[in-house]
Short mmCIF file of all heavy atoms in Angstrom, two decimals:
data_model
loop_
_atom_site.label_atom_id
_atom_site.label_comp_id
_atom_site.label_asym_id
_atom_site.label_seq_id
_atom_site.Cartn_x
_atom_site.Cartn_y
_atom_site.Cartn_z
N GLY A 10 65.71 46.06 80.49
CA GLY A 10 65.46 44.65 80.66
C GLY A 10 65.84 44.19 82.07
O GLY A 10 66.88 44.60 82.59
N ALA A 11 64.98 43.38 82.66
CA ALA A 11 65.27 42.75 83.96
C ALA A 11 64.91 41.29 83.82
O ALA A 11 63.78 40.88 84.10
CB ALA A 11 64.47 43.43 85.08
N MET A 12 65.84 40.52 83.33
CA MET A 12 65.56 39.12 83.00
C MET A 12 66.74 38.23 83.39
O MET A 12 67.90 38.67 83.41
CB MET A 12 65.23 38.99 81.53
CG MET A 12 66.34 39.37 80.59
SD MET A 12 65.80 39.47 78.84
CE MET A 12 65.07 41.11 78.78
N GLY A 13 66.45 36.98 83.68
CA GLY A 13 67.48 36.03 84.04
C GLY A 13 68.26 36.47 85.25
O GLY A 13 67.73 36.86 86.26
N TYR A 14 69.59 36.54 85.08
CA TYR A 14 70.49 36.92 86.17
C TYR A 14 70.28 38.38 86.65
O TYR A 14 70.53 38.71 87.79
CB TYR A 14 71.92 36.75 85.72
CG TYR A 14 72.95 37.04 86.77
CD1 TYR A 14 73.16 36.16 87.84
CD2 TYR A 14 73.74 38.18 86.72
CE1 TYR A 14 74.09 36.38 88.80
CE2 TYR A 14 74.70 38.45 87.69
CZ TYR A 14 74.87 37.54 88.75
OH TYR A 14 75.81 37.85 89.72
N ASN A 15 69.77 39.21 85.76
CA ASN A 15 69.54 40.64 86.10
C ASN A 15 68.20 40.90 86.81
O ASN A 15 67.99 42.02 87.23
CB ASN A 15 69.66 41.50 84.85
CG ASN A 15 71.12 41.73 84.46
OD1 ASN A 15 72.00 41.82 85.28
ND2 ASN A 15 71.35 41.75 83.18
N ALA A 16 67.38 39.92 86.87
CA ALA A 16 66.07 40.12 87.57
C ALA A 16 66.26 39.86 89.03
O ALA A 16 65.70 38.95 89.63
CB ALA A 16 65.01 39.18 86.98
N MET A 17 67.09 40.71 89.65
CA MET A 17 67.43 40.56 91.07
C MET A 17 67.23 41.90 91.73
O MET A 17 67.36 42.98 91.11
CB MET A 17 68.85 40.12 91.28
CG MET A 17 69.15 38.73 90.75
SD MET A 17 70.87 38.21 91.14
CE MET A 17 70.91 36.58 90.41
N LYS A 18 66.88 41.84 93.00
CA LYS A 18 66.55 43.09 93.76
C LYS A 18 67.66 44.10 93.71
O LYS A 18 67.41 45.25 93.35
CB LYS A 18 66.22 42.77 95.22
CG LYS A 18 65.95 43.95 96.07
CD LYS A 18 65.41 43.56 97.42
CE LYS A 18 66.40 42.82 98.26
NZ LYS A 18 65.94 42.48 99.62
N HIS A 19 68.90 43.72 94.01
CA HIS A 19 69.96 44.70 94.07
C HIS A 19 70.26 45.32 92.70
O HIS A 19 70.64 46.48 92.59
CB HIS A 19 71.22 44.10 94.70
CG HIS A 19 71.92 43.08 93.83
ND1 HIS A 19 71.45 41.79 93.67
CD2 HIS A 19 73.06 43.17 93.14
CE1 HIS A 19 72.28 41.14 92.89
NE2 HIS A 19 73.25 41.92 92.53
N LYS A 20 70.10 44.52 91.62
CA LYS A 20 70.38 45.05 90.31
C LYS A 20 69.28 46.05 89.88
O LYS A 20 69.57 47.04 89.19
CB LYS A 20 70.46 43.89 89.30
CG LYS A 20 71.69 43.02 89.50
CD LYS A 20 71.78 41.94 88.49
CE LYS A 20 73.02 41.09 88.70
NZ LYS A 20 74.31 41.86 88.39
N ILE A 21 68.02 45.79 90.24
CA ILE A 21 66.96 46.77 89.96
C ILE A 21 67.28 48.08 90.73
O ILE A 21 67.18 49.16 90.14
CB ILE A 21 65.63 46.22 90.42
CG1 ILE A 21 65.29 44.87 89.72
CG2 ILE A 21 64.50 47.25 90.21
CD1 ILE A 21 65.14 45.00 88.22
N LEU A 22 67.64 47.95 91.96
CA LEU A 22 67.88 49.18 92.78
C LEU A 22 69.10 49.96 92.28
O LEU A 22 69.04 51.18 92.21
CB LEU A 22 68.11 48.78 94.25
CG LEU A 22 66.95 48.06 94.93
CD1 LEU A 22 67.31 47.73 96.37
CD2 LEU A 22 65.64 48.80 94.82
N ILE A 23 70.14 49.28 91.88
CA ILE A 23 71.31 49.94 91.37
C ILE A 23 70.99 50.67 90.06
O ILE A 23 71.40 51.80 89.81
CB ILE A 23 72.46 48.93 91.14
CG1 ILE A 23 72.99 48.45 92.49
CG2 ILE A 23 73.57 49.53 90.29
CD1 ILE A 23 73.95 47.28 92.41
N THR A 24 70.23 49.99 89.19
CA THR A 24 69.89 50.60 87.89
C THR A 24 69.03 51.84 88.09
O THR A 24 69.26 52.88 87.46
CB THR A 24 69.13 49.58 87.02
OG1 THR A 24 69.98 48.45 86.79
CG2 THR A 24 68.72 50.18 85.68
N LEU A 25 68.05 51.76 88.97
CA LEU A 25 67.19 52.92 89.23
C LEU A 25 67.95 54.09 89.85
O LEU A 25 67.75 55.23 89.49
CB LEU A 25 66.00 52.52 90.09
CG LEU A 25 64.94 51.65 89.41
CD1 LEU A 25 63.98 51.05 90.44
CD2 LEU A 25 64.16 52.46 88.36
N GLY A 26 68.83 53.76 90.76
CA GLY A 26 69.64 54.78 91.40
C GLY A 26 70.55 55.47 90.36
O GLY A 26 70.72 56.71 90.40
N ALA A 27 71.13 54.69 89.45
CA ALA A 27 71.95 55.25 88.41
C ALA A 27 71.12 56.12 87.44
O ALA A 27 71.55 57.23 87.09
CB ALA A 27 72.64 54.14 87.61
N LEU A 28 69.94 55.65 87.10
CA LEU A 28 69.12 56.41 86.18
C LEU A 28 68.69 57.73 86.82
O LEU A 28 68.68 58.76 86.14
CB LEU A 28 67.87 55.59 85.82
CG LEU A 28 66.88 56.26 84.84
CD1 LEU A 28 67.58 56.57 83.54
CD2 LEU A 28 65.66 55.36 84.61
N GLU A 29 68.36 57.71 88.10
CA GLU A 29 68.02 58.95 88.80
C GLU A 29 69.19 59.94 88.75
O GLU A 29 69.01 61.09 88.44
CB GLU A 29 67.64 58.65 90.24
CG GLU A 29 67.27 59.91 91.06
CD GLU A 29 67.33 59.69 92.55
OE1 GLU A 29 66.60 58.82 93.01
OE2 GLU A 29 68.12 60.46 93.22
N SER A 30 70.37 59.46 89.01
CA SER A 30 71.56 60.34 89.04
C SER A 30 71.79 60.95 87.67
O SER A 30 72.08 62.15 87.59
CB SER A 30 72.78 59.53 89.47
OG SER A 30 73.96 60.30 89.38
N VAL A 31 71.69 60.14 86.64
CA VAL A 31 71.95 60.61 85.27
C VAL A 31 70.84 61.64 84.89
O VAL A 31 71.13 62.66 84.27
CB VAL A 31 71.97 59.46 84.28
CG1 VAL A 31 71.91 59.94 82.84
CG2 VAL A 31 73.23 58.64 84.49
N LEU A 32 69.56 61.35 85.20
CA LEU A 32 68.49 62.26 84.83
C LEU A 32 68.67 63.59 85.53
O LEU A 32 68.47 64.65 84.88
CB LEU A 32 67.15 61.64 85.22
CG LEU A 32 66.63 60.54 84.28
CD1 LEU A 32 65.37 59.90 84.87
CD2 LEU A 32 66.32 61.09 82.91
N ARG A 33 69.05 63.61 86.77
CA ARG A 33 69.28 64.87 87.49
C ARG A 33 70.45 65.65 86.86
O ARG A 33 70.39 66.85 86.73
CB ARG A 33 69.51 64.60 88.95
CG ARG A 33 68.26 64.10 89.70
CD ARG A 33 68.60 63.53 91.09
NE ARG A 33 69.13 64.61 91.94
CZ ARG A 33 68.36 65.40 92.67
NH1 ARG A 33 67.04 65.30 92.63
NH2 ARG A 33 68.89 66.30 93.45
N ALA A 34 71.49 64.90 86.45
CA ALA A 34 72.62 65.54 85.81
C ALA A 34 72.22 66.15 84.46
O ALA A 34 72.83 67.12 83.98
CB ALA A 34 73.74 64.54 85.63
N GLU A 35 71.21 65.53 83.81
CA GLU A 35 70.72 66.03 82.53
C GLU A 35 69.67 67.11 82.69
O GLU A 35 69.05 67.53 81.68
CB GLU A 35 70.20 64.86 81.71
CG GLU A 35 71.27 63.92 81.16
CD GLU A 35 72.13 64.59 80.10
OE1 GLU A 35 71.54 65.26 79.19
OE2 GLU A 35 73.37 64.43 80.12
N GLY A 36 69.37 67.52 83.89
CA GLY A 36 68.46 68.61 84.10
C GLY A 36 67.04 68.22 84.39
O GLY A 36 66.14 69.10 84.47
N TYR A 37 66.78 66.91 84.54
CA TYR A 37 65.41 66.46 84.85
C TYR A 37 65.20 66.39 86.35
O TYR A 37 65.96 65.71 87.07
CB TYR A 37 65.15 65.11 84.21
CG TYR A 37 63.77 64.51 84.52
CD1 TYR A 37 62.66 64.95 83.80
CD2 TYR A 37 63.63 63.55 85.51
CE1 TYR A 37 61.41 64.44 84.10
CE2 TYR A 37 62.40 63.02 85.79
CZ TYR A 37 61.27 63.43 85.08
OH TYR A 37 60.04 62.92 85.37
N ALA A 38 64.24 67.07 86.88
CA ALA A 38 64.00 67.11 88.33
C ALA A 38 63.24 65.91 88.76
O ALA A 38 62.13 65.65 88.28
CB ALA A 38 63.26 68.40 88.68
N CYS A 39 63.80 65.17 89.68
CA CYS A 39 63.08 64.02 90.30
C CYS A 39 63.47 63.92 91.75
O CYS A 39 64.54 64.33 92.16
CB CYS A 39 63.43 62.71 89.52
SG CYS A 39 65.14 62.36 89.30
N PRO A 40 62.56 63.42 92.59
CA PRO A 40 62.80 63.37 94.04
C PRO A 40 63.96 62.47 94.36
O PRO A 40 63.96 61.30 93.99
CB PRO A 40 61.49 62.81 94.59
CG PRO A 40 60.47 62.96 93.46
CD PRO A 40 61.25 62.89 92.20
N PRO A 41 64.95 62.94 95.08
CA PRO A 41 66.14 62.14 95.41
C PRO A 41 65.76 60.92 96.22
O PRO A 41 65.09 61.03 97.25
CB PRO A 41 67.01 63.08 96.26
CG PRO A 41 66.55 64.46 95.88
CD PRO A 41 65.07 64.32 95.60
N GLY A 42 66.21 59.78 95.78
CA GLY A 42 66.00 58.53 96.52
C GLY A 42 64.62 57.89 96.39
O GLY A 42 64.39 56.76 96.84
N ALA A 43 63.68 58.58 95.78
CA ALA A 43 62.31 58.10 95.71
C ALA A 43 62.21 56.80 94.92
O ALA A 43 61.43 55.90 95.23
CB ALA A 43 61.39 59.18 95.13
N ALA A 44 62.97 56.71 93.83
CA ALA A 44 62.87 55.55 92.96
C ALA A 44 63.30 54.30 93.69
O ALA A 44 62.61 53.25 93.64
CB ALA A 44 63.74 55.75 91.70
N VAL A 45 64.45 54.36 94.36
CA VAL A 45 64.95 53.15 95.09
C VAL A 45 63.99 52.77 96.21
O VAL A 45 63.67 51.59 96.41
CB VAL A 45 66.37 53.46 95.58
CG1 VAL A 45 66.83 52.34 96.57
CG2 VAL A 45 67.34 53.58 94.47
N ASP A 46 63.49 53.75 96.93
CA ASP A 46 62.55 53.45 98.04
C ASP A 46 61.28 52.77 97.50
O ASP A 46 60.80 51.79 98.08
CB ASP A 46 62.16 54.76 98.78
CG ASP A 46 63.35 55.28 99.57
OD1 ASP A 46 64.30 54.57 99.83
OD2 ASP A 46 63.26 56.50 100.01
N ALA A 47 60.75 53.33 96.40
CA ALA A 47 59.50 52.78 95.88
C ALA A 47 59.74 51.36 95.31
O ALA A 47 58.92 50.44 95.47
CB ALA A 47 58.98 53.67 94.76
N ALA A 48 60.88 51.14 94.66
CA ALA A 48 61.18 49.84 94.11
C ALA A 48 61.38 48.79 95.20
O ALA A 48 60.91 47.66 95.09
CB ALA A 48 62.42 49.92 93.24
N LEU A 49 62.05 49.20 96.26
CA LEU A 49 62.32 48.27 97.39
C LEU A 49 61.00 47.90 98.03
O LEU A 49 60.75 46.71 98.36
CB LEU A 49 63.26 48.93 98.38
CG LEU A 49 63.75 48.07 99.54
CD1 LEU A 49 64.47 46.83 98.99
CD2 LEU A 49 64.68 48.89 100.44
N ALA A 50 60.11 48.86 98.20
CA ALA A 50 58.82 48.56 98.79
C ALA A 50 57.99 47.60 97.89
O ALA A 50 57.33 46.66 98.41
CB ALA A 50 58.02 49.84 99.02
N ALA A 51 58.04 47.82 96.56
CA ALA A 51 57.30 46.95 95.66
C ALA A 51 57.86 45.52 95.66
O ALA A 51 57.12 44.54 95.63
CB ALA A 51 57.36 47.53 94.24
N TRP A 52 59.21 45.41 95.76
CA TRP A 52 59.83 44.10 95.79
C TRP A 52 59.43 43.37 97.07
O TRP A 52 59.07 42.18 97.05
CB TRP A 52 61.33 44.22 95.70
CG TRP A 52 62.02 42.88 95.61
CD1 TRP A 52 62.25 42.02 96.62
CD2 TRP A 52 62.51 42.26 94.42
NE1 TRP A 52 62.91 40.87 96.15
CE2 TRP A 52 63.08 41.03 94.80
CE3 TRP A 52 62.60 42.63 93.10
CZ2 TRP A 52 63.67 40.16 93.90
CZ3 TRP A 52 63.22 41.77 92.19
CH2 TRP A 52 63.72 40.54 92.59
N ASN A 53 59.54 44.08 98.21
CA ASN A 53 59.14 43.43 99.48
C ASN A 53 57.69 43.06 99.54
O ASN A 53 57.32 42.03 100.13
CB ASN A 53 59.48 44.37 100.63
CG ASN A 53 60.96 44.58 100.81
OD1 ASN A 53 61.78 43.71 100.39
ND2 ASN A 53 61.43 45.69 101.38
N LYS A 54 56.85 43.85 98.89
CA LYS A 54 55.43 43.49 98.84
C LYS A 54 55.19 42.20 98.10
O LYS A 54 54.26 41.43 98.40
CB LYS A 54 54.65 44.64 98.17
CG LYS A 54 53.15 44.44 98.19
CD LYS A 54 52.43 45.64 97.57
CE LYS A 54 50.93 45.43 97.59
NZ LYS A 54 50.21 46.62 96.92
N ALA A 55 56.04 41.91 97.15
CA ALA A 55 55.93 40.66 96.38
C ALA A 55 56.49 39.46 97.16
O ALA A 55 56.41 38.35 96.69
CB ALA A 55 56.67 40.79 95.04
N SER A 56 57.03 39.69 98.37
CA SER A 56 57.56 38.67 99.25
C SER A 56 58.66 37.83 98.57
O SER A 56 58.70 36.60 98.67
CB SER A 56 56.45 37.72 99.67
OG SER A 56 55.44 38.41 100.38
#
C-alpha cells in the first residue's frame, strides 16, 4: 500500500530498496539498485 502519508517519494524508495535486499537474501536474483533507480525516474516523470 502507498496511500495517505505513505504515498511519498522517499517511502516508496525505502520500501523498494528493502524489498530488493530481502529478495536477494532469500535467493532471488535481481539487479542491484535497479528498483530504486526506476522508481525515482518514474516519480520525476510525474513531476
Side-chain angles (χ1 to χ4, degrees):
M12 60 190 84
Y14 183 73
N15 283 323
M17 296 185 180
K18 178 171 64 176
H19 69 286
K20 291 182 179 291
I21 302 297
L22 301 181
I23 290 170
T24 299
L25 288 168
L28 181 59
E29 178 198 304
S30 175
V31 168
L32 284 172
R33 290 168 65 85
E35 287 291 317
Y37 177 80
C39 50
V45 170
D46 289 345
L49 188 57
W52 186 283
N53 291 336
K54 185 177 179 180
S56 300

